[in-house]
Amino acid sequence: MHVSGVNIHSDEQCSAKWLAEQLTTRTKRGITVETSTLIRSGVLEIGVRLPAIRDLAYILGVSPTTVADAWRELRKQKLITGLGRNGSWVSGDYIATQPKRLIGIDVVDKSSLNLSKAVPDPLLFPPLKQALIYASSTEGLNSYDRINIIPELKSVIQQTWPYDAEAFIATNGGYDAIYSILQAFITPGSYIAIEDPTSVRFIDMFETLNVQPLPVSCDLMGPLPDALSEAIKLKPAIFLFQPRLHAITGQTIPPGRLKELAGVLENSHTLIIEDDGMNDISSSPSMSLGQYLPDRVMHIRSFSKTMGPDLRTAVLSGTAKMIEQIHSSRSFGSGWTSRLLQSATAWLLKQPDTANYIENARNIYEARRNKLSDYMADYGVHLPQGNGLCLWIPVQCDVTATKVLASNGITVQPGSKFSVQNKKHIRVATSNIKSNYQYIAKHLNHALNSSPD
């Protein structure tokens, strides 16, 4: 590829003659790769209008279909946008897809009261010092053998696992477990049934892997069986849900509803991912569809929110074949999860003090959540009881509500970030609120009744 040394700026039109001079190959792949390099390197800036497909194809001496196919690939990579008579233009300069929703969550005015991140209070985690000292002498430390899980962690985990799982693997946290499953089992274009609302990071993952989410509406008892039945008609490869405690709504699926969902899934070929990301922050016992459909369930339990995110440990169960497929897929990345962190997690799980720390944290999170909910009730806003790190509050317009709150120095997240169906809610993190409850409730009440301009 030859580059002339001239950059085409955002307010300019890229001529067919100039672009053809930069391209040294005439195949679909070559045009795609070389044009993407021009964009990534900044030669073609964001906003540049690209030449018409027929004009570029004529100068290159190729079929218009070849250029159109190259442009289609660039659109998939989100490097260009536009179609038809209006032409195409450069819309991005990253080859890799960015987790746009997650990145947006980190953009917060430092002077505001930040209720946008529903994360644990770091002061409530059990101390790690003794766990790490113990783990420093774990068997096989620093070996390059790619093990699934150390025996000690597997043994302690099995004592409280919600079903009789065939095989286990440790991962670098819950999201790593889910991403590993998707990479191992999903092909681009597949459907994934997902409870709605859901995690921001799940939706980002789906976009990155080019899979289509099928939203499954929920009530206070979890995914609606009829909604799941409708989704199953499209034969999704996976159904992903949170059976124990929903991280966004704070609700738990009762055993009766879980059995109904098993009945819906029974005659399908859909695999099931269960995300127990909140772990013992929930006051409910661990539960799983594995008691009904053990050959199709992959159950994940993460320890980040109960023992600390720097442990970077979760455990995933499934059939031996599933676990082997995930293990093989991880060879392209980390390969295995640190024995040091697995051993530290196992040690913590065996200590009575750890359970006391987690119970104390659970009670504090519940008290903080309930206290803000009680203040909201004083304004006539009655929210469902639940557990967890946040409140899910209905509003007339989530964008307007977040703007109104921001103008009063309070940052929250619009519900549309967590929903495929654009829910009219805001998510308000409660886990780190220690004061100002009345002030927060007052402005929340004002915001939820604010209409769009």
Side-chain angles (χ1 to χ4, degrees):
M1 183 175 73
H2 168 72
V3 179
S4 66
V6 177
N7 286 17
I8 308 299
H9 300 294
S10 59
D11 57 348
E12 296 177 353
Q13 167 82 42
C14 174
S15 73
K17 181 176 182 299
W18 180 90
L19 184 54
E21 289 174 351
Q22 315 310 311
L23 304 178
T24 58
T25 54
R26 300 294 185 261
T27 63
K28 179 191 105 172
R29 181 180 179 278
I31 295 169
T32 301
V33 170
E34 293 189 9
T35 304
S36 71
T37 300
L38 291 171
I39 294 171
R40 177 184 53 77
S41 63
V43 174
L44 291 174
E45 294 184 355
I46 294 175
V48 169
R49 186 166 291 278
L50 298 173
I53 288 174
R54 288 188 178 278
D55 292 346
L56 181 59
Y58 177 77
I59 296 175
L60 290 174
V62 300
S63 164
T65 302
T66 301
V67 177
D69 287 345
W71 265 215
R72 188 175 298 111
E73 287 299 314
L74 293 172
R75 279 194 293 274
K76 286 181 182 178
Q77 296 173 24
K78 295 182 172 55
L79 293 176
I80 71 171
T81 192
L83 191 64
R85 294 182 178 180
N86 294 326
S88 300
W89 59 91
V90 178
S91 58
D93 53 9
Y94 285 86
I95 300 298
T97 305
Q98 290 181 284
K100 294 179 181 178
R101 292 172 182 81
L102 180 64
I103 288 175
I105 282 179
D106 290 327
V107 181
V108 176
D109 183 350
K110 292 183 179 179
S111 65
S112 69
L113 178 58
N114 186 1
L115 306 182
S116 67
K117 298 183 76 170
V119 296
D121 185 336
L123 298 177
L124 300 179
F125 291 130
L128 296 180
K129 182 177 180 180
Q130 291 303 316
L132 292 171
I133 291 173
Y134 172 84
S136 65
S137 59
T138 191
E139 184 179 351
L141 194 64
N142 291 325
S143 167
Y144 273 82
D145 291 339
R146 297 186 298 111
I147 64 165
N148 284 343
I149 187 170
I150 64 170
E152 184 181 18
L153 180 57
K154 179 181 177 182
S155 175
V156 70
I157 276 292
Q158 284 180 306
Q159 296 172 25
T160 57
W161 210 250
Y163 74 105
D164 186 15
E166 189 173 280
F168 294 85
I169 187 170
T171 64
N172 302 327
Y175 287 115
D176 177 60
I178 291 167
Y179 196 62
S180 296
I181 293 171
L182 297 180
Q183 288 185 308
F185 291 95
I186 292 296
T187 55
S190 299
Y191 285 116
I192 292 184
I194 179 78
E195 59 189 342
D196 196 87
T198 190
S199 166
V200 164
R201 293 180 72 176
F202 294 165
I203 303 175
D204 278 338
M205 285 181 196
F206 300 158
E207 289 190 356
T208 298
L209 297 172
N210 192 26
V211 297
Q212 305 299 314
L214 294 174
V216 178
S217 296
C218 301
D219 62 12
L220 295 180
M221 295 190 292
L224 292 162
D226 287 346
L228 181 58
S229 293
E230 285 300 310
I232 292 298
K233 290 178 182 178
L234 292 175
K235 299 182 179 179
I238 282 174
F239 172 46
L240 169 56
F241 78 118
Q242 301 170 77
R244 189 177 185 190
L245 178 62
H246 196 290
I248 310 300
T249 66
Q251 305 305 308
T252 297
I253 299 176
R257 174 62 61 84
L258 196 69
K259 188 174 183 179
E260 287 184 83
L261 297 177
V264 172
L265 292 160
E266 185 176 12
N267 295 318
S268 74
H269 297 290
T270 300
L271 297 176
I272 301 158
I273 302 177
E274 297 178 333
D275 173 34
D276 185 7
M278 302 299 287
N279 202 331
D280 284 337
I281 286 176
S282 171
S283 59
S284 300
S286 181
M287 60 181 69
S288 171
L289 285 171
Q291 61 183 305
Y292 303 107
L293 304 166
D295 293 340
R296 307 235 304 274
V297 166
M298 287 169 279
H299 186 87
I300 302 160
R301 182 180 296 173
S302 170
F303 300 97
S304 295
K305 291 188 171 63
T306 51
M307 298 188 202
D310 278 320
L311 271 179
R312 278 288 185 272
T313 308
V315 174
L316 160 62
S317 71
T319 64
K321 183 177 180 181
M322 287 172 172
I323 297 303
E324 178 54 36
Q325 194 163 338
I326 294 165
H327 176 77
S328 178
S329 178
R330 294 184 81 206
S331 299
F332 293 100
S334 60
W336 73 92
T337 293
S338 163
R339 292 173 179 82
L340 183 76
L341 299 181
Q342 289 190 59
S343 181
T345 302
W347 186 88
L348 284 167
L349 287 171
K350 292 188 290 186
Q351 306 308 308
D353 281 351
T354 301
N356 295 333
Y357 270 100
I358 294 172
E359 182 181 8
N360 178 61
R362 179 173 62 246
N363 292 336
I364 290 174
Y365 295 139
E366 186 173 357
R368 290 173 180 175
R369 186 182 188 276
N370 288 344
K371 190 170 183 178
L372 183 56
S373 183
D374 290 343
Y375 272 104
M376 292 301 296
D378 292 341
Y379 290 97
V381 180
H382 299 283
L383 301 171
Q385 292 185 339
N387 291 121
L389 309 177
C390 60
L391 285 171
W392 181 244
I393 303 177
V395 295
Q396 290 194 40
C397 175
D398 64 340
V399 174
T400 301
T402 55
K403 288 180 178 179
V404 169
L405 287 165
S407 69
N408 289 285
I410 300 173
T411 306
V412 301
Q413 290 297 333
S416 53
K417 280 192 173 182
F418 306 88
S419 174
V420 180
Q421 303 179 99
N422 198 20
K423 298 285 188 182
K424 293 182 178 180
H425 286 71
I426 54 174
R427 192 199 69 177
V428 182
T430 57
S431 51
N432 284 278
I433 300 177
K434 299 178 176 69
S435 61
N436 298 319
Y437 286 93
Q438 191 169 11
Y439 174 86
I440 295 167
K442 173 186 174 182
H443 289 292
L444 283 174
N445 179 60
H446 175 60
L448 65 89
N449 291 307
S450 300
S451 300
D453 295 334

